[in-house]
Amino acid sequence: MFLRILYNAREFHRIREDTRFYAMKLVPALKKAFVRMGERLRDEGIIDDSLDIYYLKLDEIKSIQRWPPPENMGADLRAVALARKRKMKSLSSKPFVDPRLLLVISRRDNIEGALVTGIPASPGIAVGTVKIVRDASEFHKLRHGDILVAPFTTPAWTPLFRVAAAVVTDTGGPLSHAALTAREYGIPAVVGTGLATKVLKDGMRVRVDGYRGAVYKA
């Protein structure tokens, strides 16, 4: 037992930093398969749009394995998918965590003149133009020397840190992706502000103080 645990510790420690890569490795193949299934279900009139398959649970998809499908199955699944799609759209602008809770944790003492405050996650001071980036579809907005302002960041966002002069996020703490990556790239970071993407606007000139955890108008 001990030797097996020791072997696993030695082997799996080497891929600790690559866990996201291995976890996501099958996603493209799975997505391709689900898209194809969605197209077939759409062609058979069971769902309205091929991408509606993502609003169905695996058990519901498996229920269609019998062909022809049970009577009214198409109508039932179509209604389920549309209901979930509407629900997701209604929640698209709502945060998963009440911003007021984040502010209780991350707000610094009143800092005179600060537009937003948060956790000082990476030291340094930078001045630049705000670019609000909410997801991968907006990565193209960032230019060299801009201030990256985002709800959060993940490993997929890492290339942006080579371009940004500083990063400011709504969520996160000292060990969040934004904080760790900013320190690795040597740029200032203020995280856990709770409302940076709402207070700051595209085109604003700001000064990010990574020592105090504050963002000022430049």
Side-chain angles (χ1 to χ4, degrees):
M1 173 66 79
F2 172 77
L3 292 178
R4 186 166 69 250
I5 294 174
L6 179 62
Y7 172 81
N8 288 340
R10 286 172 171 170
E11 290 299 309
F12 290 108
H13 176 73
R14 295 185 301 173
I15 65 171
R16 173 65 183 85
E17 294 303 317
D18 295 325
T19 51
R20 181 178 174 85
F21 168 77
Y22 287 108
M24 302 295 289
K25 194 173 182 179
L26 291 177
V27 170
L30 289 173
K31 287 185 69 175
K32 187 174 182 179
F34 277 109
V35 167
R36 180 58 183 144
M37 281 191 286
E39 290 172 347
R40 294 186 64 181
L41 295 180
R42 178 202 60 199
D43 293 344
E44 295 294 336
I46 294 176
I47 55 178
D48 293 334
D49 187 290
S50 60
L51 297 183
D52 285 353
I53 194 170
Y54 293 122
Y55 295 99
L56 298 176
K57 297 179 181 179
L58 188 57
D59 287 343
E60 293 166 343
I61 296 174
K62 287 182 177 179
S63 70
I64 318 173
Q65 287 181 341
R66 289 189 297 128
W67 199 259
E71 189 176 354
N72 295 326
M73 175 62 72
D76 292 342
L77 290 184
R78 182 184 295 106
V80 168
L82 290 176
R84 289 173 182 162
K85 182 188 289 190
R86 286 193 295 267
K87 183 65 174 178
M88 184 173 180
K89 186 175 182 180
S90 71
L91 296 173
S92 62
S93 61
K94 294 182 173 61
F96 285 106
V97 179
D98 190 330
R100 291 172 297 181
L101 297 177
L102 297 173
L103 294 176
V104 170
I105 298 171
S106 65
R107 290 284 290 196
R108 307 295 90 194
D109 293 333
N110 290 332
I111 299 178
E112 185 178 356
L115 298 173
V116 295
T117 60
I119 298 171
S122 181
I125 294 177
V127 177
T129 302
V130 168
K131 290 294 174 63
I132 308 291
V133 179
R134 292 184 172 83
D135 55 49
S137 68
E138 297 184 327
F139 282 4
H140 67 280
K141 292 170 55 177
L142 199 70
R143 295 290 182 267
H144 184 75
D146 286 343
I147 306 298
L148 171 61
V149 180
F152 57 85
T153 68
T154 69
W157 297 55
T158 301
L160 300 185
F161 287 71
R162 297 184 59 186
V163 179
V167 60
V168 182
T169 62
D170 291 341
T171 62
L175 297 181
S176 64
H177 175 267
L180 293 173
T181 309
R183 292 197 291 271
E184 290 175 356
Y185 279 85
I187 62 175
V190 179
V191 301
T193 63
L195 39 64
T197 57
K198 292 182 175 62
V199 174
L200 305 179
K201 306 297 181 184
D202 277 339
M204 290 178 64
R205 291 283 293 177
V206 299
R207 176 166 56 92
V208 178
D209 187 337
Y211 296 106
R212 303 187 70 189
V215 180
Y216 306 88
K217 187 174 181 179

